Amino acid sequence: MIRVTTLESFRRFRDNVTETYDTEEKLIEHIKGEFKGNCKTEIGSAFHYLIETNGEYLQGLGVNFSENQILIALNHQALISPFVPEIRKNKVFDTGKYKVEISGCTDVLQGNILRDTKCKFSAPTYMDYYNSFQWRIYLSIFGLDRFLYDIFEFVGYKDEMVKDVSNLVLKQHEPFECVRYEKMESEIITLINDFMDWIYFRNLQQYI
């Protein structure tokens, strides 16, 4: 079974999105499960808990938010309610060359709309979200037509802050909408074939 995040990581490597982060070495680490996260991913996970659980399980995660940042998260939660959090769903894709099961877990299902919460530590580049295959594959798996990225930016974050963002301004950007289009499914099939070709080329079949 292949996770949507793995396919998107491959897509970024294939398309050479960045020379620093989207390398083959980092992709293989991701596939082998060697990447254990960092302070930014932990801040993002804690912020997800705020929205999805009303902060019920926030204690113990080691992230320090300000009262205003928590209020922004809870106001967003109220705005998009009612919703169902953290739904995992699988779909088998038959490309004609490969038959693979892909698994995705959406942050928020709001009626017939999928939403994904993103925490950023620099100004977002909206083309990065549009070019992503995350939303495309999620729409395919769930059989829906609309996907929204809810983007929150911790302005001025520096690595030495570790997991204390309480002194930063939290900027909530307008949701970025992505919608199904005619060639979407065929482009997903092409990505899957490219990924599986590379998996066999690198002899990584045992990790998927």
Side-chain angles (χ1 to χ4, degrees):
M1 186 169 61
I2 303 167
R3 293 187 181 271
V4 174
T5 51
T6 302
L7 279 172
E8 173 57 13
S9 294
F10 170 77
R11 196 276 309 175
R12 292 180 63 89
F13 158 69
R14 183 195 67 178
D15 296 350
N16 195 29
V17 175
T18 68
E19 294 183 359
T20 304
Y21 298 106
D22 301 301
T23 64
E24 187 174 47
E25 180 183 5
K26 290 184 182 296
L27 173 60
I28 292 173
E29 287 178 1
H30 173 90
I31 290 171
K32 290 183 175 181
E34 296 172 354
F35 176 70
K36 302 303 181 184
N38 53 40
C39 289
K40 290 179 179 178
T41 59
E42 291 181 35
I43 292 167
S45 295
F47 197 76
H48 278 73
Y49 277 118
L50 272 175
I51 294 172
E52 295 163 16
T53 70
N54 204 30
E56 183 178 353
Y57 303 109
L58 187 61
Q59 290 186 351
L61 294 176
V63 177
N64 189 17
F65 294 116
S66 69
E67 290 185 6
N68 186 62
Q69 291 166 348
I70 293 172
L71 182 61
I72 289 172
L74 297 183
N75 284 344
H76 175 69
Q77 180 203 61
L79 181 66
I80 66 175
S81 292
F83 64 86
V84 182
E86 298 288 338
I87 299 177
R88 181 166 294 282
K89 191 172 182 180
N90 300 348
K91 178 180 176 178
V92 175
F93 288 80
D94 188 345
T95 72
K97 187 175 184 180
Y98 302 102
K99 193 172 185 178
V100 298
E101 184 176 13
I102 297 178
S103 178
C105 183
T106 184
D107 289 344
V108 168
L109 176 62
Q110 181 195 33
N112 61 354
I113 301 172
L114 298 175
R115 305 185 78 112
D116 191 78
T117 304
K118 293 293 187 187
C119 288
K120 298 293 293 180
F121 301 88
S122 59
T125 303
Y126 288 104
M127 282 305 295
D128 283 347
Y129 293 107
Y130 179 76
N131 290 336
S132 171
F133 266 68
Q134 179 196 30
W135 64 268
R136 293 168 165 87
I137 300 171
Y138 273 48
L139 289 181
S140 179
I141 289 175
F142 283 85
L144 297 174
D145 298 326
R146 294 181 65 202
F147 185 106
L148 292 176
Y149 283 107
D150 294 312
I151 304 168
F152 299 84
E153 178 190 353
F154 289 94
V155 180
Y157 178 83
K158 293 181 171 49
D159 289 341
E160 55 264 30
M161 296 175 180
V162 194
K163 293 188 285 185
D164 183 358
V165 293
S166 58
N167 291 320
L168 297 179
V169 171
L170 178 60
K171 182 177 180 181
Q172 182 175 3
H173 292 264
E174 287 295 316
F176 183 68
E177 182 176 15
C178 302
V179 297
R180 178 184 289 270
Y181 57 95
E182 183 179 353
K183 294 182 179 180
M184 187 186 82
E185 296 288 349
S186 64
E187 291 176 357
I188 293 171
I189 293 300
T190 297
L191 177 65
I192 293 171
N193 280 334
D194 288 349
F195 174 75
M196 292 302 298
D197 287 346
W198 176 81
I199 284 289
Y200 279 97
F201 175 69
R202 289 301 184 199
N203 196 30
L204 294 168
Q205 305 92 288
Q206 66 268 36
Y207 297 106
I208 63 171

